[in-house]
């Protein structure tokens, strides 16, 4: 089974992302920063006080069209204004999505907010404190005769940095509760995503207490599209490292400002 995690950057590099999706071979694909604008396709522009970024209007639909033999599950964390090329304003949902190959039966789905609650941003997107949702999917791997629980997280962004804060500690506790509630005894468990944390975060101690081992540690998980010197963001943890056949932080091709994390079990 191949599990891939990627912060898709709202599809800002969709010309590169689209062919990568065709060839990545993911049985379970966990994406963060997924957009969904009802009844709109093409491109939009996202703006807050810090950034102005091109984004796909409906990355969720874009990915579904590239992966027609996957089930697509999406959880919105918040909604806010974006503009199309004619400067018309639209309401765009933002969240995480997990795509599961059809041969894998989905036997359980659970989501939870690890920070805040769903919010409608009426006039503009805030730069920090935005709510964050995580999505857990439990599947049956017939070939290996086991159940696998995969938890997809996009962690809290703080413009002051990635150091631990009380909010991030609370996020870790909520994430741990989601993991415990979603998996069952004996499940192979994978927790992955853009955690927005440093490798020494106490979050990893909390997850280690659940029997989860971080495979990324202090590896560089950003691409050349990310100009800042701090290179830590994405992580992937497993409950049973001996079941890992291969793990890679992919350096090429570049399809986002984050590197993809590829796990073969």
């Amino acid at each position: 089974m191949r599990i891939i995690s990627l912060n898709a950057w709202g599809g800002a590099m969709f010309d590169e992302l689209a062919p990568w999706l065709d060839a990545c071979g993911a049985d379970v694909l966990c994406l963060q920063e997924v957009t969904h604008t009802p009844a709109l396709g093409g491109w939009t522009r996202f703006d807050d006080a810090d950034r102005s970024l091109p984004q796909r209007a409906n990355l969720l639909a874009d990915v579904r069209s590239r992966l027609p033999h996957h089930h697509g599950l999406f959880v919105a964390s918040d909604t806010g204004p974006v503009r199309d090329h004619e400067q018309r304003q639209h309401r765009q949902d933002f969240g995480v999505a997990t795509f599961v190959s059809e041969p894998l039966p989905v036997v359980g789905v659970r989501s939870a907010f690890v920070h805040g609650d769903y919010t409608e941003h009426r006039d503009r997107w805030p730069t920090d404190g935005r709510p964050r949702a995580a999505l857990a999917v439990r599947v049956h791997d017939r070939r290996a005769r086991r159940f696998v629980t995969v938890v997809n997280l996009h962690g809290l962004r703080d413009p002051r940095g990635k150091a631990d804060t009380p909010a991030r500690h609370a996020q870790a506790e909520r994430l741990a509760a989601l993991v415990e509630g979603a998996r069952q005894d004996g499940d192979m468990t994978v927790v992955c995503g853009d955690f927005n944390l440093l490798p020494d975060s106490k979050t990893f101690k909390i997850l280690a207490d659940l029997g989860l081992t971080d495979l990324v540690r202090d590896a560089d998980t950003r691409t050349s599209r990310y100009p800042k010197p701090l290179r830590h963001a994405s992580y992937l943890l497993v409950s049973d490292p001996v079941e890992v056949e291969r793990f890679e932080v992919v350096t090429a091709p570049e399809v986002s400002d984050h590197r993809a994390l590829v796990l073969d079990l």
Side-chain angles (χ1 to χ4, degrees):
M1 177 189 292
R2 172 166 291 180
I3 300 168
I4 301 180
S5 176
L6 174 70
N7 182 319
W9 206 18
M13 295 178 62
F14 191 69
D15 288 346
E16 294 81 7
L17 178 64
W20 177 84
L21 288 168
D22 295 340
C24 70
D27 296 298
V28 180
L29 175 64
C30 296
L31 297 180
Q32 304 90 48
E33 294 197 16
V34 176
T35 60
H36 172 249
T37 310
L40 186 68
W43 291 94
T44 57
R45 180 157 289 275
F46 162 91
D47 294 280
D48 64 17
D50 293 340
R51 300 164 297 167
S52 180
L53 299 171
Q55 290 185 330
R56 295 297 290 175
N58 201 335
L59 183 60
L60 178 63
D62 292 336
V63 178
R64 280 176 171 159
S65 72
R66 310 300 298 207
L67 301 176
H69 301 297
H70 285 64
H71 303 289
L73 305 167
F74 174 71
V75 176
S77 57
D78 52 354
T79 300
V82 294
R83 295 188 179 276
D84 62 23
H85 68 284
E86 295 180 349
Q87 296 302 306
R88 293 174 299 190
Q89 189 175 101
H90 303 269
R91 307 295 299 168
Q92 187 172 89
D93 304 327
F94 180 92
V96 296
T98 299
F99 298 84
V100 180
S101 178
E102 287 180 347
L104 293 174
V106 177
V107 299
V109 177
R110 185 175 295 209
S111 65
F113 277 83
V114 293
H115 177 77
D117 292 294
Y118 174 77
T119 303
E120 287 264 357
H121 309 295
R122 287 295 171 190
D123 299 320
R124 68 183 307 164
W125 300 86
T127 57
D128 65 350
R130 288 176 54 184
R132 290 292 196 240
L135 174 61
V137 176
R138 187 170 185 256
V139 303
H140 183 230
D141 183 350
R142 289 192 180 101
R143 188 168 52 187
R145 297 182 180 179
R146 67 185 167 199
F147 292 92
V148 181
T149 295
V150 183
V151 181
N152 179 7
L153 168 73
H154 186 199
L156 176 64
R157 179 180 183 269
D158 187 333
R160 294 166 294 185
K162 291 181 167 60
D164 279 345
T165 62
R168 283 183 166 132
H169 182 84
Q171 172 182 264
E173 296 287 357
R174 289 188 182 186
L175 174 62
L178 174 62
V179 173
E180 286 286 76
R183 70 180 180 178
Q184 295 188 23
D185 289 346
D187 284 11
M188 177 69 183
T189 306
V190 178
V191 179
C192 59
D194 175 7
F195 285 34
N196 270 319
L197 295 172
L198 299 176
D200 63 355
S201 170
K202 293 179 180 178
T203 293
F204 299 106
K205 173 61 169 64
I206 292 170
L207 296 176
D209 289 343
L210 301 183
L212 295 167
T213 300
D214 171 32
L215 301 183
V216 174
R217 290 179 260 187
D218 61 355
D220 182 350
T221 60
R222 305 307 294 252
T223 70
S224 65
R225 298 301 183 101
Y226 186 77
K228 298 179 182 179
L230 189 62
R231 311 295 295 177
H232 309 297
S234 299
Y235 298 91
L236 188 147
L237 299 90
V238 299
S239 61
D240 196 352
V242 300
E243 294 295 323
V244 175
E245 181 178 280
R246 168 179 168 265
F247 174 71
E248 182 181 0
V249 180
V250 179
T251 58
E254 294 188 354
V255 298
S256 169
D257 64 340
H258 290 252
R259 294 175 177 175
L261 310 179
V262 177
L263 173 71
D264 289 332
L265 298 175

